Amino acid sequence: MYPTPSNPGDGTAAARKAMTLHRLAAMRAAGEKITMLTCYDASFARLLDDAGVDVLLIGDSLGMTLQGRDSTLPVTLDEMAYHVQCVARGNRHAWIVGDLPFGSYHTGTEQALLSAARLMQSGAHMVKLEGGGWTVPVVRHLVERGIPVCAHLGLTPQSVHALGGYRIQGRDDDGAARLLHEARELAEAGASMLVVELIPSTLGQQLTESLPIPVIGIGAGPGCSGQVLVLHDMLGVTRGKLPRFVRNFMAGADSIESAVRAYVAAVKDGSFPDPAVHGY
């Protein structure tokens, strides 16, 4: 039995079975919100899994949160594989998604296959890559070879310089139409999940309603199939000004685990994100 609004965050080993793609699809179909958090090591993997988080994302955000860099671009495939291994050792039930870092899939399908195989052999259940259009044949190539793929549209941090900074995407009609078109292409190519970042809430809901796969939002409104946040952001660890879509779940919590359980409960019951506070 997975955490539900009436039973938030009850993530005991006896209560949970290992997450699968089939289960994630069933949750989307049933309208049960999917919870995802970034995770980079075994200790947090065990804690997040015990707290009922459905999906652990080993994000290339580790370049900023763990390494102190100013972007995700310097993160290497070796570094990603190491952190995937760490998370896999601590996890028991959650679905594990590993980011393909910048430069690890950009030269074509064969490079992407070798990079994805590296993360899968390290313990990932799925790989994530950023962008639409040119990534469609890459997604198809990986899926045809048995590698589940999560796509990522909207603000794509690996393209931050081309996008002109960390800016909201899909605000005008042309931008929204492009994102909808790219999302449909990626789903048709076989992507099993889509992360959408920093887009208007109305567009997040439109994407969710028009696609046959789970859509996980970060700054994309409450209408998505689920939500993801960077762990360090939602625990109040990150210094400086944070995006408005972040909520500090440590505020009022007596432990990290209770903060994570509060996040799981808030996503499941729809109280997070609040479009008036966290949306665009």
Side-chain angles (χ1 to χ4, degrees):
M1 179 178 178
Y2 279 81
T4 64
S6 61
N7 184 29
D10 181 8
T12 62
R16 299 188 71 189
K17 294 181 181 180
M19 183 61 72
T20 64
L21 272 183
H22 177 76
R23 173 59 180 157
L24 290 167
M27 291 170 70
R28 172 200 165 274
E32 179 182 353
K33 298 292 187 179
I34 297 167
T35 57
M36 180 189 292
L37 284 172
T38 63
C39 187
Y40 314 107
D41 64 45
S43 295
F44 270 106
R46 180 64 179 268
L47 186 151
L48 269 55
D49 182 33
D50 285 347
V53 178
D54 298 313
V55 183
L56 306 182
L57 170 63
I58 300 89
D60 57 5
S61 53
L62 66 86
M64 303 169 80
T65 58
L66 299 188
Q67 299 175 341
R69 301 182 184 274
D70 60 5
S71 77
T72 65
L73 298 178
V75 177
T76 68
L77 184 61
D78 285 345
E79 291 167 342
M80 290 304 306
Y82 168 78
H83 286 281
V84 168
Q85 290 169 359
C86 293
V87 170
R89 292 187 192 110
N91 178 59
R92 294 178 296 172
H93 310 99
W95 185 253
I96 298 176
V97 181
D99 258 345
L100 288 171
F102 180 73
S104 69
Y105 57 98
H106 294 67
T107 64
T109 55
E110 290 309 310
Q111 183 202 27
L113 178 59
L114 291 173
S115 299
R118 178 84 183 279
L119 296 189
M120 298 291 285
Q121 290 168 339
S122 297
H125 301 134
M126 168 183 268
V127 299
K128 182 170 76 65
L129 52 77
E130 296 183 5
W134 70 273
T135 62
V136 170
V138 173
V139 170
R140 183 176 294 111
H141 189 76
L142 296 180
V143 171
E144 287 174 349
R145 284 150 183 82
I147 299 175
V149 175
C150 176
H152 184 157
L153 293 175
L155 174 67
T156 47
Q158 292 177 12
S159 304
V160 63
H161 298 309
L163 295 173
Y166 296 95
R167 305 170 63 182
I168 302 170
Q169 303 298 305
R171 263 190 160 167
D172 59 21
D173 291 342
D174 288 343
R178 176 178 55 79
L179 285 176
L180 283 163
H181 174 71
E182 290 178 347
R184 292 187 184 110
E185 282 190 326
L186 289 163
E188 289 169 1
S192 300
M193 186 182 294
L194 173 68
V195 169
V196 287
E197 182 170 358
L198 206 64
I199 63 173
S201 298
T202 53
L203 180 57
Q205 182 163 349
Q206 188 177 2
L207 282 162
T208 303
E209 292 173 349
S210 65
L211 295 177
I213 60 176
V215 176
I216 310 300
I218 176 167
C224 298
S225 311
Q227 300 293 326
V228 60
L229 285 176
V230 172
L231 179 66
H232 292 59
D233 292 351
M234 59 82 66
L235 292 179
V237 175
T238 306
R239 304 293 88 180
K241 184 178 180 180
L242 297 176
R244 65 181 291 177
F245 59 73
V246 174
R247 173 179 159 187
N248 180 1
F249 283 86
M250 275 301 297
D254 59 7
S255 69
I256 291 175
E257 183 168 349
S258 65
V260 175
R261 288 182 180 274
Y263 168 77
V264 170
V267 172
K268 295 287 185 182
D269 68 21
S271 60
F272 176 80
D274 179 344
V277 178
H278 309 109
Y280 298 90

